[in-house]
């Protein structure tokens, strides 16, 4: 049943008009539900980024997607994040991922092996650096985005905080060692006690949360890419 549900979710997102490829687009968004949330209403991070930059953005992110994913059919359709990248001539690729690997893959307990497979403590090896090297080989610059934190309010993923912090520290170290790769943290974005950046589940971004993250992305891209 779980496999069939995953496949149906993939088919839904792949068929969504929000995923329509824009031939003139030079920015690609990839990842999991952080990036995919609100795609149905055209208010996802990718949608809002396009509005702030006044240019088309392709968003191939899929809710539930993972860095490590073994099912071949749904994986090839995007549930495995690296399969969301199919080459092309992009100026920028914006991506996230890994949260579902920690939450579902090891329950955010004793996740050292999972962390090491995604990215080693020195930031040099693993699934994520391999994916970024593949993207960089096409000439695209890369921004890796960190996750929202809850504002001191309990949620289903609150126990993942320590593993999430350790994972993002490795991603930040990785980005510092790679040319034209940048890490955008959202660790301190949400003020304590402010629930407006999240949906009711206190996991996914609200419209406001998506818009704020997109604006921070736009500022970063404009700062690094003077042609925009």
């Amino acid at each position: 049943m779980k496999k069939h549900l995953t496949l149906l979710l993939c088919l839904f997102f792949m068929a969504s008009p929000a995923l329509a490829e824009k031939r003139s687009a030079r920015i690609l968004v990839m990842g999991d539900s952080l990036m995919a949330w609100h795609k149905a209403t055209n208010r996802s991070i990718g949608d809002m980024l396009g509005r702030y930059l006044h240019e088309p953005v392709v968003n191939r992110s899929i809710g539930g997607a993972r860095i490590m994913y073994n099912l071949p059919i749904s994986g090839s359709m995007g549930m495995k994040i690296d399969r969301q990248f199919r080459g092309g001539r992009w100026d920028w690729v914006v991506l996230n991922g890994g949260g579902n690997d920690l939450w579902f893959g090891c329950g955010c307990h004793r996740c050292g092996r999972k962390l090491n497979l995604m990215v080693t403590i020195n930031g040099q090896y693993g699934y994520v650096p391999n994916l970024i090297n593949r993207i960089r080989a096409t000439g695209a610059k890369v921004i890796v985005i960190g996750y929202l934190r809850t504002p001191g309010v309990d949620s289903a993923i609150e126990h993942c905080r320590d593993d999430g912090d350790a994972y993002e520290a490795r991603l930040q170290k990785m980005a510092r060692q790679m040319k034209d790769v940048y890490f955008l943290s959202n660790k301190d974005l949400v003020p304590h006690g402010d629930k407006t950046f999240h949906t009711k589940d206190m996991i996914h971004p609200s419209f406001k949360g998506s818009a704020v993250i997109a604006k921070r992305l736009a500022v970063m891209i404009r700062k690094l890419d003077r042609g925009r």
Side-chain angles (χ1 to χ4, degrees):
M1 176 64 73
K2 185 176 179 180
K3 292 182 180 179
H4 291 306
L5 180 60
T6 298
L7 181 57
L8 286 172
L9 286 170
C10 281
L11 290 171
F12 170 78
F13 282 112
M14 293 301 288
S16 171
L19 277 177
E21 297 288 334
K22 306 176 182 73
R23 292 184 180 180
S24 61
R26 304 289 294 185
I27 298 176
L28 171 66
V29 168
M30 301 165 44
D32 59 28
S33 57
L34 176 72
M35 311 301 286
W37 219 246
H38 306 305
K39 280 170 69 175
T41 56
N42 298 320
R43 296 175 73 177
S44 69
I45 290 173
D47 292 308
M48 299 308 295
L49 177 62
R51 293 179 195 178
Y52 287 129
L53 293 177
H54 306 291
E55 63 178 285
V57 172
V58 170
N59 189 349
R60 293 187 189 150
S61 61
I62 295 178
R66 303 188 194 185
I67 296 295
M68 295 179 287
Y69 189 86
N70 295 324
L71 297 180
I73 297 176
S74 51
S76 67
M77 297 172 70
M79 288 299 288
K80 186 173 184 179
I81 291 173
D82 76 349
R83 300 303 293 272
Q84 295 173 15
F85 185 74
R86 301 188 289 271
R89 299 185 63 181
W90 306 101
D91 294 337
W92 288 93
V93 174
V94 180
L95 65 92
N96 87 307
N100 291 320
D101 297 83
L102 296 177
W103 190 18
F104 297 117
C106 53
C108 295
H109 296 290
R110 298 181 179 177
C111 290
R113 179 177 178 275
K114 187 78 67 173
L115 282 169
N116 284 330
L117 287 172
M118 289 196 291
V119 55
T120 53
I121 196 167
N122 63 6
Q124 295 181 4
Y125 306 101
Y127 281 82
V128 179
N130 289 345
L131 169 58
I132 292 177
N133 281 327
R134 185 160 69 90
I135 295 170
R136 284 286 302 122
T138 69
K141 299 179 178 67
V142 177
I143 298 176
V144 182
I145 298 186
Y147 288 95
L148 284 172
R149 304 302 201 275
T150 52
V153 178
D154 193 25
S155 77
I157 59 170
E158 192 66 21
H159 66 289
C160 295
R161 181 182 294 270
D162 290 343
D163 285 311
D165 288 346
Y167 176 53
E168 292 192 2
R170 297 184 184 200
L171 294 178
Q172 194 164 26
K173 184 178 291 185
M174 174 198 71
R176 286 198 298 263
Q177 299 175 76
M178 303 176 82
K179 179 178 173 59
D180 291 328
V181 176
Y182 309 91
F183 181 74
L184 178 62
S185 175
N186 288 306
K187 183 176 181 179
D188 301 319
L189 179 64
V190 182
H192 185 79
D194 188 343
K195 299 180 182 180
T196 63
F197 287 79
H198 292 80
T199 55
K200 290 182 178 180
D201 63 13
M202 296 307 296
I203 298 173
H204 299 102
S206 62
F207 290 141
K208 174 183 176 179
S210 291
V212 171
I213 293 172
K215 189 168 186 178
R216 297 180 80 214
L217 273 170
V219 169
M220 175 179 276
I221 290 174
R222 282 188 173 136
K223 181 177 179 180
L224 295 167
D225 189 344
R226 297 298 184 180
R228 285 186 155 79

